[in-house]
Each structure stands twice: as structure tokens, then as C-alpha cells.
Amino acid sequence: MHQPPIPHVARTDPEIAELIEHEARREYEKIRLIPSENYVSAAVLEASGSVLTNKYSEGYPGRRYYEGQQFTDVIETLAIERAKALFGVGHANVQPYSGSPANLAVYLAFAEPGDTIMGMALPMGGHLTHGWPVSVTGKWFRAVQYDVRRDTGRVDLDEVRDLARRERPKLIFCGGTAIPRTIDFPAFAEIAGEIGAILVADIAHIAGLIAGGAHPSPVGYASVITTTTHKTLRGPRGAMILSAPEYASALDRAVFPGLQGGPHDHTTAAIAVALHEASQPAFRDYAHQVVANAQALAAALTARSYDLITGGTDNHLILVDLTRQGIGGKAAARALDRAGIELNYNTVPYDPRRPFDPSGIRLGTPAITTRGLREEHMPMIAAWIDEVITAATSDDAPLDHLAADIRDFLAPYPIPSWTPGPVSAQ
Ligand SMILES: *Cc1c(COP(=O)(O)O)cnc(C)c1O
């Protein structure tokens, strides 16, 4: 049964209620290894499903364009204050609808169309919004992109410095979506400082690790920090922009009225709840356990002859090159999903294959750690991954038994949003 229960959806729209129920069960029964996903708490779910969805609040607390903000102002102020306290920054904007609009707001605040900006190339682990050609950020700005080294799979900061000196971008983005290693914020800050660029640390993937003290913080190095709230931070779908007070008004004006209309107050409330949860001692344990689990999983995969980009991980994320296994990332991801292990296909640096069928898979431990899995469970998961991939590359019979084994394996580890039991149709 979905938690909290959804009897009204079941009555009004049984078709959608059934699909939600199926999705909740799917999230319960699968080993979810997509590194950008998680399980939010029931409290976060309740706040994001609350009456706040009924309200319009264009503007900022105390400066709104609509009446009736007695409670929304307090909620947004709490979210802002909690974000500032958790990350140790002087300013927070909690209104961006998601990570991509948060990044767009930063462009709007500090750059003009045609200006040079710099970010990590998407196939190297960067994000679309860091200037990749198909993104508006690559179309409306002159984007220069840095790579990782072929031999190490890591960013070469000497190369970044050379490129920055040559191209003199206004904005430099660091961070990305497929980076298994610690980001060297002080080194990026030095490069940006040398050419007078604004350093933007996009910590969407690692915000929860930073909040929990399991990854160094960009605070004090990056002028602007953007993050989603729904990945390792374990909040609702949303985003935040953090900065020193000197950038506050430019950033706030860029988010509203520059880019957005009314903030999603229900999301703001859920962000506040998630930030409260992330400030508790248990969240520090969670963040460190995410990394310990990723390192144990990386070691177990390496022991089974899988090639890990950079040879391992410092964070929540593992990028595997399957060339040696003789299978494409897409075929592997499909076979694994059928068997009950959910991850995504991904390009690896300098991938010789096409982006729609690249050489790699990307996996991570935020969701399974929320469920309570620990290091000792990782060898079993690696063994199942290997079994599925080996079967997919041979003519072995489909692994029908695996889904049941995985259900049994996960049964002692509940999720906040679904409990086995009857559907609450009334
Ligand atoms: C996920 C992500 C984003 C975008 O977030 P959306 O909410 O999907 O728009 C931006 N930057 C990085 C580095 C991300 O990982």
C-alpha cells in the first residue's frame, strides 16, 4: 500500500491510483541503483502533497504579488534559513523548479547571450546545462568544454587552467552527473579567480554528501552553488541556489521575475522538511554510509573484473566500462532491469559507441542506503550484476529466479512510501 495511502485517488481516478501503486511496488521490489534517485521520507511526501499546491506566491517572503501569504512566507523563510544553516552560506534561493532552471537563472544573472562560458563536456560526466550543444546553454552562449584525461578518467586541472586562460569564460561550472571522484573546489576557485570568472559549483548529485560531511564543501570557493534537492539530499523535486549575500539580489531577480513565475509552495515546504531531516545526526551517518557502500560495491565489481572509470569512487557513484564484458551499456541496463536491478546506461569518457547505446553503465548507492543496506550486502549485488551480464552475453536461459531472490533479499529493508499489503481501494 502506498504511504501515505491514496484512497481519494483510488475513488476518483482508479486508473492513475493503480499506476501509482504499481510504481510504489516497483520501487519496493527493485534494487534501485540510479545514482540520482532516492526514497524520500513519508514526511517529505506529505508536505509535497499538501494544500500548499493551492497557493500562488510570486515574489519573495514579505514582498509578494498576491495576498494570503501569512503561512507561505514563514514556510519559505524556514526553508531559506535551514538551507543557509545546513550549508553555511549567507544567501539561499529555494524557488527554482528544478536543477536545470536553477542553472539557467545563474546564466541570466551573470551572462549575456553570446558570452563565453565553460563547463565539463556531457560525455565526460558534465551536465547538459553546462553548455552542451543541444541545451539552450550551448546554443545561446559560446560554450567551451573541458574533458577528463584519457589515462586517468579524471579532470586535469592544468588543462582546465590552460583552457580558461585562453578562452576567458565569464562563468565556469564544476560538478556533473557522472563524476565518481571528489571535486577539487579550491583548484577551480583559483582558476576562476585568476581570470575573474564566476565559479559555479553544481552540486546536484552530491549535495547530501556535502550536507552530511562526506564530501568537501564548495562554500568559500564557489561564488555560486546550485543544487537539486531530490538526489542525495533526499528531498522533493526542486532546486536551490546558494551564494554569498553579495550575489543575492542578482540571483533572486534572475529566478523571479527573470525566469519563473510563482514558486511551488508545496515543494518549498517539502524542501524545508528535507533540510530539517538532513540537519539531524542520522543524516551524517547516512551520507557516510552511502560512500562506504559505493566503495564496497566498487571493490566487489572490480574483484569480478569490471573496469571502473577512475578505478573506483570517492562518492555515491560508479561508472563502469563494459567493453571488456563485450556488451553495450543499453543491453546490460535492460537485462539488469528485467532481473530486478535498476541502473542506467551511460557514456564513458572517449566512448567509441553512440550516446544512445554507449559502452557504460552508471550506478550508485543513495537509494539502497536509505533502505538500510550496508557494505556486507554489496558483494551479493555485484554477484547478481555479474550473473545477469554474463547471462545476457551468452545464450543462457533468462534469469527468472533472480527477481524472487532480490525480493527476498530486500524484504527486511522497508521503504518509506510503500508497505506490502492490500491496495486501499474503497
Ligand atoms: C540532475 C542534475 C541537474 C538537473 O536537474 P533537473 O532537476 O533534472 O533539471 C543539473 N546539474 C547536475 C549536475 C545534475 O546532476
Side-chain angles (χ1 to χ4, degrees), residues 220-289:
Y221 299 106
S223 307
V224 180
I225 299 165
T226 61
T227 183
T228 55
T229 47
H230 47 269
K231 297 178 183 174
T232 50
L233 195 56
R234 219 162 59 182
R237 304 305 282 246
M240 305 189 294
I241 304 176
L242 313 172
S243 73
E246 61 186 295
Y247 298 110
S249 73
L251 289 166
D252 284 354
R253 273 185 284 118
V255 173
F256 173 85
L259 194 68
Q260 298 187 168
H264 294 176
D265 292 321
H266 56 300
T267 300
T268 306
I271 290 173
V273 173
L275 290 168
H276 173 72
E277 291 176 353
S279 70
Q280 302 303 305
F283 196 86
R284 291 189 78 79
D285 299 341
Y286 166 69
H288 285 92
Q289 191 63 50

Side-chain angles (χ1 to χ4, degrees), residues 56-185:
Y56 242 103
S57 305
E58 278 184 2
Y60 290 100
R63 294 173 284 139
R64 306 282 195 185
Y65 291 81
Y66 291 76
E67 295 311 312
Q69 311 295 343
Q70 291 83 353
F71 308 108
T72 48
D73 271 3
V74 182
I75 288 168
E76 186 170 336
T77 302
L78 276 170
I80 290 167
E81 292 305 322
R82 288 175 185 177
K84 285 161 62 177
L86 184 63
F87 289 95
V89 292
H91 177 68
N93 185 310
V94 298
Q95 293 194 2
Y97 298 142
S98 213
S100 302
N103 284 343
L104 280 185
V106 177
Y107 286 89
L108 186 58
F110 301 115
E112 298 286 333
D115 279 351
T116 301
I117 63 95
M118 185 164 127
M120 190 187 214
L122 177 75
M124 301 288 155
H127 191 260
L128 278 167
T129 55
H130 299 180
W132 192 241
V134 299
S135 157
V136 61
T137 61
K139 290 181 193 292
W140 290 1
F141 299 93
R142 185 177 157 269
V144 294
Q145 306 263 274
Y146 55 89
D147 299 330
V148 296
R149 282 179 66 111
R150 244 175 221 280
D151 53 346
T152 61
R154 297 178 187 236
V155 173
D156 181 336
L157 287 153
D158 291 330
E159 224 170 80
V160 174
R161 183 179 299 106
D162 289 345
L163 190 62
R165 280 179 180 160
R166 202 164 58 238
E167 304 288 352
R168 306 198 76 81
K170 241 186 190 171
L171 295 175
I172 298 177
F173 282 85
C174 62
T177 63
I179 303 174
R181 294 296 179 176
T182 302
I183 299 165
D184 189 345
F185 298 120

